[in-house]
Every structure is written in structure tokens, then in C-alpha cells.
Amino acid sequence: MNSAFGLPLALWIAAAFVLGLIVGSFLNVVILRLPARMEWFWKRDAREMLALPDDGEPAPPDLVRKGSHCPHCTHPLAPWDNIPLLSWLLLRGRCRYCRAPISKQYPLVELLCGITSAIVVWKFGIAWQSAAGLVLTWVLIAAAGIDFRTQLLPDSLTLPLLWLGLLISLAPLFAGTRDAVIGAAVGYIALWAVYWIFKLATGKEGMGYGDFKLFAVAGAWLGWTALLPVIIIAALSGAIIGVIVLSMRGQDRSVPIPFGPFLAVATWIWLIAGDAILTAYLHFTGIR
């Protein structure tokens, strides 16, 4: 599709990039605030179950109502300090008020969200697949960011994404309902089995339950046939990048590295380039 509503596709791709930058700014809020709120609620529920007194600790800021502020001096940010990517560049990565360094996570997440959003629209054009693909992309970025920082994959992200994948299979947009249901079930059970085999053999936990759910998301959105290539891409990239990161940090290989970000990347890669990768593989192997 070269145009829609009288506008060229290139303009829609540019608009998707800008939208991605804006959404990426909000995803930074989700990545930073959601784990803190989850931990606060866990502690509150634990105190209630154990009949312990309230410790008086206030709830961390929510995702929407609390405005952006500097984490160092807590000064509220003006609108011109919160322009995605541009503000960080103009401020040279430092707070306008206290000159403390601003984490590179902010521009990196915004830029990543902008680029991937543009690629989704370039791939699928002005279609329902683009709308669904954008939602999948954004939630995968948030989930990967949280897992990378905290080694947590929140159910509040993975489970809605799983159910949404099953619902859109009724259309279908990426996979039919039969393939999606089988994919979700096999994706969860496969990593659940690997988890228990590894735990029984070593006495250690090799991954978390969030990884099972995220792999089920891949199956629900892309169908069961995508599970093998997704796990291969995730495992290979995880092994290579993991060794590099541990070497750069001077840490040994016993240090755990979250697997969720690699599952998220592999799922997105297969969403965008699965057909091309499969075609290239078949051509290379001479199968057809």
C-alpha cells in the first residue's frame, strides 16, 4: 500500500516514528514506576496477611497522575523539558535545575520505540496489522525494559498481551485461532518443562514464570510455527550478548541475565521478518 487517505505511506511512517517517540516517553515511566508500585503492593498485602502494622510508607507515584520530575532534585519538569529525545539532546543529558546526569535510558527507549513503530507501519502499511503490531511492539519494549532492570516480567503486561493475541486471532491478523491457541499453550508448557527439568537437575531456577507467559504471548500472536525460530533467535542472541555483557562488566557466568528481553526481541523480529528469514533459510538449505 503506497498511500492511504490521500497521504503517502512515507508520511504515515514518519508519523509512526513521532508517535513512537511520544509513546516511548510514557514507556519510560512504566519501566521505572511499575516495578516500584508492584513491590509496594506486595509488601502491603504481606503485612495484611501477617497482621503486621502499616509501616507508613507512601505509595510510589502512579503511572499517569504524577507528573515527571527529576529523580535527583525532585523538581517538576516543565513541558519543554519533557519533549521526547529532543529535550535530552538540548539539555546534553543533564537536569536543567540541578545539573545531575539524566539516564541514557530515556532517549534510548524513546528512540527504540520510534524506530520500531516506523518499521511496523513500513511493514504492514495502513492496516489493522499495523495497529495491532504497534501495541505488541510497545508492550514488548516495556516488558523487556522492566525485566532488564529488575528481572521481573509483570503479569499486568504479559497476560493482557496474551489474551489480546488470542482475541485478534479471530480476525485473523497474524495467525488463525487454532494456531494461536496451540501456540499459547505449547509456548507456556515448553518453557515450564525446561524450567522444571533444569531445577530438578541442578536445584537452581534457570528462568522465571514470566518467561513462560511471554513465550506464550509469542505463540498467541504468531502461531505455534513461530515458537521454534523465536526460541532459537532468543537463545542465540542471549548467549552471545550475555557473554559480551558479563565480560565487559568483569562478572562470571554464574551472574543471572534476564531472558525476557531476548524473547521480546526475537518475537518482534519474527513479527517483522519471519517470512523473509524463513524464505532465506529454505533457499539456503535448498529445500525449495
Side-chain angles (χ1 to χ4, degrees):
M1 184 182 296
N2 295 321
S3 65
F5 303 105
L7 300 175
L9 181 59
L11 188 59
W12 287 103
I13 294 173
F17 176 76
V18 174
L19 177 62
L21 292 179
I22 296 171
V23 173
S25 180
F26 175 70
L27 294 185
N28 272 313
V29 175
V30 174
I31 291 169
L32 294 171
R33 295 186 184 181
L34 182 58
R37 289 186 64 82
M38 290 169 57
E39 183 179 359
W40 186 87
F41 282 110
W42 290 338
K43 291 179 178 179
R44 185 200 65 178
D45 294 344
R47 286 193 300 269
E48 290 178 355
M49 293 181 63
L50 298 172
L52 297 176
D54 189 353
D55 63 359
E57 181 183 358
D62 62 23
L63 303 183
V64 178
R65 288 179 293 180
K66 177 69 173 179
S68 298
H69 58 276
C70 173
H72 301 282
C73 66
T74 70
H75 194 290
L77 299 184
W80 49 86
D81 295 326
N82 213 21
I83 303 173
L85 190 59
L86 184 61
S87 290
W88 190 89
L89 293 173
L90 293 176
L91 292 171
R92 297 182 179 180
R94 292 189 174 274
C95 173
R96 182 189 300 276
Y97 309 98
C98 68
R99 305 309 299 167
I102 303 172
S103 172
K104 293 184 177 63
Q105 173 189 311
Y106 293 95
L108 289 177
V109 169
E110 291 164 356
L111 185 60
L112 174 65
C113 193
I115 292 174
T116 52
S117 297
I119 292 174
V120 167
V121 174
W122 166 79
K123 167 68 177 180
F124 297 109
I126 309 306
W128 286 111
Q129 284 88 345
S130 282
L134 288 174
V135 172
L136 176 61
T137 299
W138 297 339
V139 180
L140 286 177
I141 290 174
I146 291 173
D147 196 24
F148 181 78
R149 287 176 56 88
T150 66
Q151 296 189 20
L152 293 172
L153 277 172
D155 286 349
S156 56
L157 295 180
T158 56
L159 293 184
L161 202 59
L162 172 61
W163 287 110
L164 181 59
L166 293 174
L167 285 174
I168 67 170
S169 71
L170 298 172
L173 296 182
F174 304 109
T177 302
R178 179 177 178 274
D179 289 347
V181 171
I182 295 174
V186 172
Y188 187 92
I189 293 171
L191 288 193
W192 176 88
V194 171
Y195 167 89
W196 280 107
I197 292 171
F198 183 82
K199 186 173 184 179
L200 291 173
T202 66
K204 301 177 182 179
E205 295 184 355
M207 64 182 68
Y209 277 61
D211 296 323
F212 312 165
K213 299 163 192 173
L214 190 57
F215 198 35
V217 166
W221 280 76
L222 306 177
W224 66 269
T225 57
L227 292 176
L228 182 58
V230 165
I231 199 65
I232 291 175
I233 295 172
L236 289 176
S237 60
I240 296 171
I241 296 175
V243 170
I244 294 174
V245 169
L246 291 178
S247 299
M248 292 176 61
R249 294 178 178 176
Q251 298 171 321
D252 60 60
R253 297 185 181 183
S254 63
V255 176
I257 294 179
F259 190 49
F262 302 107
L263 276 177
V265 169
T267 299
W268 189 83
I269 288 175
W270 200 255
L271 170 74
I272 298 299
D275 292 341
I277 294 173
L278 182 59
T279 300
Y281 170 77
L282 294 176
H283 177 75
F284 177 78
T285 57
I287 294 177
R288 70 177 183 184

